[in-house]
Amino acid sequence: MAEEAHIQVTKTGPYLISGTFKLLDHEGNPIAVVKEKIALCRCGQSSNKPFCDGTHKNIGFCQETVVEPQ
């Protein structure tokens, strides 16, 4: 049985995605994913979008995500 997808929001970096998932572009076309775990850019400055290339470290990106209890 495939492991369900997990998405972790990091404080100063990308979204980390692992498990079984499909990545689609804005038109619904699949984007090839060859790893079991990927990092998606949150800062908007990656030269390898939608994937993170570490640029957030160079620009000082920090976006704390506060999750309110439901």
Side-chain angles (χ1 to χ4, degrees):
M1 182 174 194
E3 183 183 346
E4 67 181 38
H6 294 273
I7 302 171
Q8 179 182 355
V9 179
T10 62
K11 181 177 178 178
T12 60
Y15 294 111
L16 302 177
I17 302 172
S18 61
T20 302
F21 60 90
K22 291 181 182 178
L23 184 60
L24 306 174
D25 70 11
H26 66 283
E27 295 180 338
N29 300 308
I31 297 173
V33 176
V34 296
K35 299 178 180 180
E36 293 180 11
K37 187 173 189 177
I38 63 170
L40 295 179
C41 177
R42 266 195 333 138
C43 74
Q45 301 302 310
S46 173
S47 61
N48 190 29
K49 290 179 190 123
F51 304 102
C52 175
D53 68 359
T55 298
H56 61 275
K57 295 174 190 173
N58 299 329
I59 64 170
F61 177 79
C62 182
Q63 178 65 48
E64 289 191 49
T65 302
V66 178
V67 179
E68 297 295 327
Q70 294 187 21

